[in-house]
Amino acid sequence: MDKLSSGEKLHFTLIDPDKPGDLRRIAEKMIEAGTDAFLIGGSLAVTPEEAGKVAKTLRGMGKPVIVFPGNLNCLTPEADAVLYMMLMNSLDPYYLVEAQVSAAPIIKKYGLEVLPTAYIVVYGDTAVAHVGRIHPIPAGKPEIIGAYALAAEFMGMKYVYLEAGSGSGRPVPPSFPRTVKKYTSLIVIVGGGIKSPLIAHEIVRAGADIIVTGTIVEENPEAAAGIVEAVKTAIHR
Ligand code: 1GP
């Protein structure tokens, strides 16, 4: 994260411990391409053993490993840090505060670095939207995402994760990171449906600090490497 203060944009590679594929090969390729860290997590079916195994392997390859928890089952002491998230537009108290209360003593015991993150799931037709019981954000209303982000900053969070949903047919609208950057100093993470260097470039230019890709890493590591390059060469205006 130190790189962010010098203006560099980051790329995180998402690995689902439930289906890590050929983990070492994929990770090597992404490290070679310049990815900055690995996120591990998934909405469904991850066991703590799988999360631990994947984190241990990735950590052994020399990159930071951050838990991106679908739920408490994704937590592992083998990681370096955790996105400690409030799913801000969930209608379910579990994802707003109860999971966080259950997770806090475990995170303390594991000694993970805590990254306080507002998680906002934009579209309603994805797995994460279903599991998290979210209230979608209208794509044409960036002022709504701006209000969420401002609330997150007022509550002391440091990061906001604008999520389109894994495998989403459309990424988050560029007006969303642009608006969040305009009104807050939060670090903006954007993920979901980023399948081409062009899209990544556009989202970074709109203000994203960190781009996350998962599906494309599994489907087409070459294209994923191109996305890392686009992130590193795009300049926010
Ligand atoms: C999902 O934002 C991440 O939580 C990544 O999404 O799998 O679509 O890249 P993709």
Side-chain angles (χ1 to χ4, degrees), residues 87-91 96 118-121 135-138 142-155 157 160 162 180 184 186:
L87 179 43
M88 283 193 84
N89 62 326
S90 176
L91 302 174
L96 290 168
Y119 189 43
I120 306 169
V121 174
H135 187 45
I137 313 282
E143 61 272 28
I144 296 181
I145 206 82
Y148 272 95
L150 207 48
E153 188 169 54
F154 289 169
M155 286 192 277
M157 295 181 197
V160 61
L162 307 178
V180 173
T184 75
L186 294 169

Side-chain angles (χ1 to χ4, degrees), residues 5-229:
S5 47
S6 61
E8 189 176 334
K9 304 300 173 185
L10 305 186
H11 176 271
F12 288 177
T13 298
L14 174 64
I15 304 283
D16 185 342
D18 175 43
K19 33 182 182 341
D22 187 348
L23 182 62
R24 277 190 177 278
R25 195 184 54 82
I26 291 171
E28 265 164 24
K29 223 176 174 77
M30 294 309 294
I31 291 169
E32 198 187 320
T35 197
D36 296 282
F38 289 95
L39 293 186
I40 59 162
S43 308
L44 298 163
V46 178
T47 67
E49 292 74 23
E50 287 165 341
K53 201 170 153 202
V54 166
K56 199 170 179 177
T57 304
L58 294 172
R59 237 179 143 188
M61 298 177 79
K63 284 284 164 190
V65 177
I66 303 166
V67 180
F68 172 42
N71 214 323
L72 270 72
N73 49 312
C74 296
L75 293 171
T76 168
E78 304 291 348
D80 297 288
V82 57
L83 291 184
Y84 191 66
M85 304 190 296
M86 169 194 269
L87 179 43
M88 283 193 84
N89 62 326
S90 176
L91 302 174
D92 188 337
Y94 180 77
Y95 292 102
L96 290 168
V97 71
E98 290 170 11
Q100 294 80 348
V101 172
S102 299
I106 300 172
I107 291 169
K108 179 91 178 158
K109 205 180 269 182
Y110 288 171
L112 300 174
E113 182 186 349
V114 170
L115 308 173
T117 305
Y119 189 43
I120 306 169
V121 174
V122 175
Y123 305 120
D125 56 351
T126 59
V128 65
H130 176 80
V131 172
R133 300 196 58 224
I134 65 109
H135 187 45
I137 313 282
K141 296 283 175 194
E143 61 272 28
I144 296 181
I145 206 82
Y148 272 95
L150 207 48
E153 188 169 54
F154 289 169
M155 286 192 277
M157 295 181 197
K158 300 283 181 249
Y159 303 84
V160 61
Y161 192 139
L162 307 178
E163 173 72 271
S166 187
S168 170
R170 48 185 176 159
V172 161
S175 61
F176 281 24
R178 192 174 295 121
T179 304
V180 173
K181 272 300 191 201
K182 186 169 168 193
Y183 292 110
T184 75
S185 27
L186 294 169
I187 294 169
V188 180
I189 308 170
V190 179
I194 300 175
K195 292 186 181 155
S196 74
L198 197 65
I199 295 171
H201 192 265
E202 194 186 1
I203 293 175
V204 170
R205 286 183 71 96
D209 298 292
I210 303 171
I211 294 289
V212 180
T213 52
T215 304
I216 196 77
V217 174
E218 294 158 33
E219 284 177 359
N220 186 347
E222 302 298 329
I227 289 174
V228 180
E229 194 188 339

